[in-house]
Amino acid sequence: MGARKVNRTRRGWKSNCRVVGECWIWKFGCGGDGYPSVSTGDAPEHASRFAYRLFKGPIKNHVLHTCDNKKCVRPKHLVDGTHSRNIKEDWARNPRS
């Protein structure tokens, strides 16, 4: 049996995931950093970046997860934002002493 291929279309994107609560969790491999990855021909890239471009268009800064789950690739949970915004939101969600 051959390896299952990633569906790279808007219509089929959700089929690459299992639904857990509000998140769409990537069913395929992750890179060394723990983020889901998808091969686009030249080199692997974060699946969240691929999903953002597929559903929302060009990325200006970074793709951030509003759900705080790095394995989620649901377009509704992905926003374009800066690194400083990401840090501020992380501290707001996960206060440190």
Side-chain angles (χ1 to χ4, degrees), residues 21-43:
E22 292 287 317
C23 293
W24 295 0
I25 305 301
W26 191 245
K27 289 181 187 176
F28 299 100
C30 294
D33 58 2
Y35 283 88
S37 68
V38 61
S39 177
T40 56
D42 296 331

Side-chain angles (χ1 to χ4, degrees), residues 30-94:
C30 294
D33 58 2
Y35 283 88
S37 68
V38 61
S39 177
T40 56
D42 296 331
E45 73 170 310
H46 286 166
S48 55
R49 292 180 62 80
F50 182 86
Y52 187 94
R53 280 198 322 280
L54 181 65
F55 287 89
K56 298 183 176 188
I59 301 164
K60 295 177 185 148
N61 294 293
H62 300 277
V63 174
L64 312 180
H65 295 82
T66 60
C67 58
D68 209 24
N69 184 341
K70 68 182 177 181
K71 294 192 178 188
C72 179
V73 295
R74 184 175 187 179
K76 181 179 177 181
H77 292 185
L78 305 175
V79 295
D80 192 331
T82 63
H83 179 66
S84 65
R85 174 183 172 184
N86 195 31
I87 297 299
K88 287 176 190 172
E89 289 178 357
D90 178 52
W91 276 84
R93 285 189 299 262
N94 305 298

